[in-house]
Every structure is written in structure tokens, then in C-alpha cells.
Amino acid sequence: MKVIGSFVSPYVRKVLACMHLKGLSYEIDPITPFFGNDEFRRLSPLSRIPVLIDGDFCTSDSSVICAYLDDAFPDPPLLPADPKDRARARWLEEFADTRLGDLFIWSLFYQRVVRPLVWGEPGDEQRIAKTLNEDAPAALDYLEGELPESGWLFRDFGLADIAIASFFRNAAYAGFEPDADRWPRVAAFVQRALAHDAFASTLPFEDIQRSVDIKGRRQALLDAGAPLTAKTLGTPVPRKGMMRL
Amino acid sequence: MKVIGSFVSPYVRKVLACMHLKGLSYEIDPITPFFGNDEFRRLSPLSRIPVLIDGDFCTSDSSVICAYLDDAFPDPPLLPADPKDRARARWLEEFADTRLGDLFIWSLFYQRVVRPLVWGEPGDEQRIAKTLNEDAPAALDYLEGELPESGWLFRDFGLADIAIASFFRNAAYAGFEPDADRWPRVAAFVQRALAHDAFASTLPFEDIQRSVDIKGRRQALLDAGAPLTAKTLGTPVPRKGMMRL
């Protein structure tokens, strides 16, 4: 299977962690976020990464991809067995993808990292301040009441754990980590989850993605052993709004 | 089971149509969209309708609710059996919930109906024009290539058909219907799907929701035979941004 998407995207990281958990091997085309072209738009009509290509089958949206992986490769399952537990897991996935995405990606990572480094413009300081002072604390208060004191949300490490933890890595890239005095369960859970091999195994590639210039990046990833595929998209060009992280 | 949400919300309509398809009876608390309070926020942390309450279990987000219904009450299924077909159905559901939601709800229905009638302010005419001239046609071009010439997306009428068609009813409330000369498959599919009993059965309640003043609405719905539950939320008050339609 091929995955199109950047190692630093929380949605890509989520899908790769699920594939790791299932023991599925993949090749990745590590395109730069916010670069795109018409071929990408055809593969991903909502301009989202990751895109999964499995033979002649292709889909996008991380939740759709993870559900597909669980249908096509059921063992080990990404969701618990009980219908109500499954609904709670899917709800927490949705909360992460939507709310943590708004906060950690669009209000912090995008403002503090992407706008200065990719677009050469300042981030929205007012939005950053409101996120740090009001919105992120409210989301963490909610998670503090949902996350377990030890272990995982449902017996085995799975989709809900992965979806939530993935966003905290981008939050850390943007300088935000949960205060362990104020949110002890969140802080411990995030640390525990991100140390899991499903996340730890791709961390070296994230470091390269973040530190190596775009021209030398592909070679540096290959040198580090990243499972790269041949380019799938021709030559994408930077286009604001072309691609969701 | 209880459902909290308005009959005119595309996300509520989608869940009620799925329950109808499965022969599940429900009671509904037909709260007014964009009214809310702290109790609602507790039940629906992303401030979304519908909310589903099944005994001591409660969840929100229409996609999570529909997946729960399919897990807990598998017959008849809302999704096709093949993993790739299931992924395509979920993808089309996501396209509808996200893209058609942006276009038909936030850029048309909200601007043309909700802002003038609920908030007493004019809609964003520039946004409406861009939607009608560019964005809605692009989405309909895409759907024209996905929808079947006759029948349903996957053998039986199911979640993907329901999710897509539901948004077109709100588009029609905002004065937009697909041009049958330009998008013959879309126009015929929408007409066919909205005529299905899963949608047709709640249309009289939508008419009341749209035409009867908020004070007389509950009684009018009861008189028309709507399965109302006792109020679940105390007295919600209007709050901009409190609730997603």
C-alpha cells in the first residue's frame, strides 16, 4: 500500500500508527504539506492528506482510511468490541480530529510554524493567545475527565489513543505541552502514548522532515531508512489552501 | 432512544432517516438550532446536533451515531459489505457532511435563512455569490461523476445516499436546486432519494419547524403526530456559535 502525505501531519501520523499496529508495510510519498496540484486534487477531493492507495483502490480522510484498514485487516482491531465502547472511541477520534485539530494545528502549529516558515508571514498572535489561555485549557479539562489514569482508553492500545496522542506531537512542535500539575492524566497519557512504538518508529523521519531543507529531504529520508515510494504526483507547487495538513 | 435536535438540521435528518431504515422508534426533543445551554454542552462537547441518548449511553456527531446504530442494530445494514465499498460509502458521507455542509448550510442556508430570520442581520452576499457561481458547481461536477444513473450508490439505499441527499433539502430551503440539464444524475438522484419514505415521513414536521412560531411549535408538532419527548435541556437560550446546525 502507498500513502501520500507528510510525516509531520497528525492525520498521516495517525494512519501510519494504525498500519504499524496491524503490522502492515507501506511505502510513503512524503509530499510537503500545502504543496499540491490537480492530480492530488483528483486523488483527494477535499485536498486532505493522507491519501491511501491500495492497488486500484484509493481513498482519503484519515478516519475513512483507518476504518478501511480495520475492515480489510481486522486483526488486531483498532476499535473495542462493544457497540457503545466503539461509539465512544469514534467520538474521541472525532473530537481529536476536529477540536484538537482546530486548536493544535490551525491555531498553534499553523500560526507559529507554517506561516513563518512556509509562507514567510507572521502568525495570528491574538488567535494564539486565545488558544493558550482559553480554548486549549477547556479541551484539556474535557480530556482530563475522559482519559485513564494508566493504560489505554479501552483495554488495548487503539484508534482513540492514537488519534488523541497524534495531535499533541504537533502541539509540542509549536511549543505547547500539557501542564502535568493541572492535567496529570493528559500529560501522562500523551507521554505514554507517544512513546509507543507505533509513534516512536517514525519519529526519526519527522525530525528529518522538520530539519532538512526541501531539496535534500527525500535523500535524507532514504538514508535514514524511510520506506519511500516513487513520486506519485509529478511536481506539486505551493498553493495556499491546496492541502489540509 | 431519544434524539435531541431540530427536524430541519441535515445531520438530524440523516440520523432519523437511518433509524427509519432500521425500523427503530425514537422520541425527539426538537430544540431550536443555535439555542443551547451548559447542559447541552455537557451532552455534546462539540455543540453539535443531533445527540443520541440510549438509556444511560449518550453520544453526538451524526457519523458516530450512524456507526453506532449499524453496530448495535445491524439489520438492515447502512453500509455495503465489501471493505472498499464501505470505505467509498464512508468517504461520500464525509464529503457530504463536510463539503456539502460548508456549501449548502454555512454558505447558503445560514446566510439566506438563519442570519435574517434568527439573528436579524443580513447574510454575506459575496459568499453566497461565490458559492452559487463556483464552489457548488464544482461539488456538483464531482457528484455527477459519482452518483448512479438509477437506483442507489450501493445496491440498497443506505448511509451514503442518505448523507448526500439530506443536504439538498436545506439547499432547496435556501433557494438552490441542482440544474437537471447540467447535472442530470445529481438532480434525479436527489429527487429519488428525498422521495424515499425515510425522508418523506418527517417532511411534515420540517414544514411545521419552518412555518410555526417558536412558542406554538411544540404543540403544532404534537398535533401533527411527531414523536416528541419531554424537554431534556431545561430552557435553552439563543447563543451564537453555541450549536452546529
Side-chain angles (χ1 to χ4, degrees):
Chain A
M1 285 185 282
K2 288 184 189 173
V3 175
I4 302 175
S6 166
F7 285 109
V8 297
S9 156
Y11 301 99
V12 174
R13 190 185 295 118
K14 171 186 159 193
V15 164
L16 298 185
C18 289
M19 294 179 87
H20 180 99
L21 216 60
K22 287 183 176 288
L24 298 169
S25 64
Y26 57 84
E27 292 191 329
I28 184 165
D29 182 0
I31 53 169
T32 304
F34 307 107
F35 280 51
N37 58 14
D38 291 343
E39 171 63 3
F40 178 72
R41 179 85 79 175
R42 194 184 63 76
L43 295 174
S44 182
L46 291 175
S47 297
R48 290 180 177 171
I49 53 173
V51 171
L52 181 80
I53 301 174
D54 185 5
D56 60 356
F57 172 75
C58 170
T59 193
S60 60
D61 184 86
S62 69
S63 300
V64 172
I65 293 172
C66 292
Y68 169 69
L69 295 174
D70 224 23
D71 280 341
F73 310 96
D75 195 45
L78 298 173
L79 292 172
D82 174 74
K84 288 172 186 174
D85 286 343
R86 294 168 73 82
R88 186 166 164 255
R90 289 194 181 102
W91 156 255
L92 289 166
E93 180 195 20
E94 175 64 20
F95 182 84
D97 288 352
T98 298
R99 189 66 185 145
L100 299 186
D102 277 350
L103 298 172
F104 294 160
I105 302 305
W106 296 107
S107 300
L108 294 182
F109 185 75
Y110 190 77
Q111 304 302 329
R112 281 183 162 176
V113 179
V114 176
R115 289 183 71 175
L117 293 187
V118 180
W119 306 123
E121 61 186 29
D124 180 341
E125 289 297 333
Q126 211 176 343
R127 182 168 178 176
I128 294 169
K130 182 174 183 294
T131 302
L132 294 176
N133 295 329
E134 296 172 33
D135 298 338
L140 268 59
D141 285 346
Y142 172 69
L143 286 178
E144 186 70 13
E146 298 292 321
L147 293 172
E149 203 175 334
S150 63
W152 311 114
L153 276 155
F154 308 92
R155 205 185 58 191
D156 300 316
F157 186 69
L159 181 61
D161 306 295
I162 287 171
I164 291 170
S166 185
F167 286 89
F168 281 88
R169 188 171 273 169
N170 288 77
Y173 291 160
F176 177 82
E177 305 212 36
D179 178 344
D181 290 330
R182 187 164 172 192
W183 300 287
R185 287 186 178 215
V186 175
F189 172 86
V190 167
Q191 197 170 34
R192 203 158 61 235
L194 290 180
H196 191 289
D197 198 45
F199 287 121
S201 57
T202 52
L203 187 54
F205 311 140
E206 296 197 36
D207 290 341
I208 291 172
Q209 179 88 29
R210 291 169 64 225
S211 63
V212 178
D213 183 77
I214 190 167
K215 286 187 189 127
R217 199 177 287 157
R218 205 175 166 88
Q219 191 57 50
L221 286 168
L222 282 170
D223 293 345
L228 301 200
T229 182
K231 283 189 185 181
T232 46
L233 289 180
T235 304
V237 293
R239 279 202 209 173
K240 223 178 238 195
M242 182 66 205
M243 194 174 305
R244 285 198 45 181
L245 191 69
Chain B
M1 287 186 279
K2 287 183 190 175
V3 175
I4 303 175
S6 165
F7 285 108
V8 297
S9 156
Y11 301 99
V12 173
R13 188 184 298 119
K14 171 186 158 192
V15 164
L16 298 186
C18 288
M19 295 180 85
H20 180 99
L21 216 57
K22 288 183 176 290
L24 298 168
S25 63
Y26 57 84
E27 293 192 330
I28 186 164
D29 182 0
I31 54 169
T32 304
F34 308 106
F35 281 51
N37 59 13
D38 290 343
E39 170 64 2
F40 178 72
R41 179 87 78 175
R42 194 184 63 76
L43 295 175
S44 181
L46 291 174
S47 299
R48 289 178 178 173
I49 52 174
V51 172
L52 181 80
I53 302 174
D54 185 7
D56 59 358
F57 172 75
C58 171
T59 193
S60 61
D61 184 86
S62 69
S63 300
V64 173
I65 293 172
C66 291
Y68 169 70
L69 295 173
D70 224 22
D71 280 341
F73 309 96
D75 195 45
L78 298 174
L79 292 173
D82 174 74
K84 290 174 186 173
D85 286 344
R86 293 168 75 82
R88 185 165 166 255
R90 288 193 181 102
W91 156 255
L92 290 167
E93 180 195 20
E94 176 63 20
F95 182 84
D97 288 353
T98 299
R99 190 64 186 146
L100 300 186
D102 277 350
L103 297 172
F104 294 160
I105 302 305
W106 296 107
S107 299
L108 293 181
F109 185 75
Y110 190 77
Q111 304 302 329
R112 280 183 163 175
V113 179
V114 176
R115 289 183 72 175
L117 293 187
V118 179
W119 306 123
E121 62 188 26
D124 180 339
E125 289 297 331
Q126 210 175 343
R127 182 169 179 176
I128 293 169
K130 182 172 182 297
T131 303
L132 294 176
N133 296 329
E134 296 171 34
D135 299 339
L140 268 58
D141 285 346
Y142 173 69
L143 287 178
E144 186 71 13
E146 298 292 322
L147 293 172
E149 204 175 333
S150 62
W152 311 114
L153 277 155
F154 308 92
R155 206 185 58 192
D156 300 316
F157 186 68
L159 181 60
D161 306 296
I162 287 171
I164 291 170
S166 186
F167 286 89
F168 281 88
R169 189 172 271 168
N170 288 77
Y173 291 162
F176 177 81
E177 306 211 35
D179 178 342
D181 290 329
R182 188 165 172 190
W183 300 287
R185 287 187 178 214
V186 175
F189 173 87
V190 167
Q191 197 171 33
R192 203 159 62 234
L194 291 179
H196 191 289
D197 199 46
F199 287 122
S201 57
T202 53
L203 187 54
F205 310 140
E206 296 198 37
D207 290 342
I208 290 171
Q209 180 86 30
R210 293 169 64 224
S211 63
V212 178
D213 183 77
I214 191 167
K215 285 188 187 123
R217 199 178 287 158
R218 206 177 165 85
Q219 191 58 50
L221 285 169
L222 282 170
D223 293 345
L228 299 200
T229 181
K231 283 189 187 183
T232 47
L233 290 180
T235 303
V237 293
R239 279 201 209 173
K240 224 179 241 196
M242 182 66 205
M243 191 175 308
R244 285 198 45 185
L245 189 69

